[in-house]
Amino acid sequence: MVCRLRLDKRAEYLELHSAVWPGVEAMITECGIRNFTIFVRGDVLFGYYEYVGDDFEADQARMAADPVSQQWWSRTDPCQFGFDDDAPDGARWQELDEVWHQD
Amino acid sequence: MVCRLRLDKRAEYLELHSAVWPGVEAMITECGIRNFTIFVRGDVLFGYYEYVGDDFEADQARMAADPVSQQWWSRTDPCQFGFDDDAPDGARWQELDEVWHQD
């Protein structure tokens, strides 16, 4: 997944991610997400993770309902906006398509 | 790593990657690269892999010297160009920095 980083909030975003809240990390794990990395280049953020559960929609909904995660996103959301030039208002992370994979 | 895809060569790039040459895949494995995925959104390509060897520079040099890989790149290079607006001529894949990681 990919989104844009507001350059005036770049330092704030990096600072937040130097110490992601334990409750946020715990919820990510509880919701079946593994090997999660966020990368940056310029104003582009790229997120990669692997889902090991069996109901992605339900796990995503569970995370979305978590108050600690909501509080975290209230800090990170203002740093981010949609990747596409014509992304809808309020869009942030947008998914990519897989071209090729080799284990 | 990230680069741009020439939109007039998008179909060609995707077609090539629907059947990556066995010799290319074998060299990738021999050079210590695992869990390699290429993703696309619009004109942006993202590449993610994990290196499991102990001399990344030497393994990259070995791959660069491989005739089959060179032949492959002669097909893929014309489809790609540098990600940054001010990328040097000839640049293609450019690396990102890690912001955060959780196993």
Side-chain angles (χ1 to χ4, degrees):
Chain A
M1 58 184 184
V2 63
C3 78
R4 302 277 178 190
L5 177 60
R6 292 194 189 280
L7 291 179
D8 62 333
K9 293 185 180 291
R10 192 180 206 273
E12 181 179 341
Y13 187 86
L14 297 183
E15 175 69 19
L16 280 165
H17 283 81
S18 71
V20 175
W21 302 346
V24 172
E25 295 194 331
M27 182 56 56
I28 287 169
T29 299
E30 282 179 42
C31 292
I33 288 174
R34 300 288 183 276
N35 197 21
F36 192 171
T37 310
I38 295 175
F39 301 93
V40 66
R41 187 176 183 98
D43 70 341
V44 172
L45 293 171
F46 174 54
Y48 173 92
Y49 62 75
E50 294 159 8
Y51 176 67
V52 299
D54 53 17
D55 189 339
F56 183 70
E57 296 298 325
D59 278 328
Q60 288 284 295
R62 182 178 170 197
M63 191 184 298
D66 172 53
V68 175
S69 298
Q70 290 170 358
Q71 187 66 25
W72 172 257
W73 295 325
S74 77
R75 301 289 300 277
T76 60
D77 280 358
C79 304
Q80 301 167 308
F81 61 105
F83 178 74
D84 294 345
D85 290 338
D86 58 353
D89 281 352
R92 277 174 290 269
W93 291 102
Q94 299 181 284
E95 293 189 3
L96 297 93
D97 296 319
E98 185 173 305
V99 173
W100 169 78
H101 174 78
Q102 173 173 306
D103 286 331
Chain B
M1 57 185 184
V2 62
C3 77
R4 301 277 178 190
L5 177 59
R6 292 193 190 281
L7 291 178
D8 61 334
K9 293 186 180 290
R10 192 181 207 274
E12 182 180 342
Y13 187 87
L14 297 182
E15 175 69 18
L16 280 164
H17 283 81
S18 70
V20 175
W21 303 345
V24 172
E25 296 195 329
M27 181 57 56
I28 288 169
T29 298
E30 283 179 42
C31 292
I33 288 174
R34 300 287 183 277
N35 198 21
F36 193 170
T37 309
I38 295 175
F39 301 93
V40 67
R41 186 175 183 98
D43 69 342
V44 172
L45 294 171
F46 274 99
Y48 172 94
Y49 63 76
E50 293 158 11
Y51 177 66
V52 299
D54 53 18
D55 190 338
F56 182 70
E57 297 297 326
D59 278 329
Q60 288 284 294
R62 182 178 171 197
M63 191 184 298
D66 173 53
V68 174
S69 297
Q70 290 170 358
Q71 187 66 25
W72 172 257
W73 295 326
S74 77
R75 300 290 300 277
T76 59
D77 280 357
C79 304
Q80 300 167 309
F81 60 104
F83 178 74
D84 294 344
D85 290 339
D86 58 353
D89 281 352
R92 277 175 290 271
W93 290 103
Q94 298 182 281
E95 294 188 2
L96 297 93
D97 296 319
E98 185 172 306
V99 173
W100 169 79
H101 174 77
Q102 174 173 306
D103 285 333

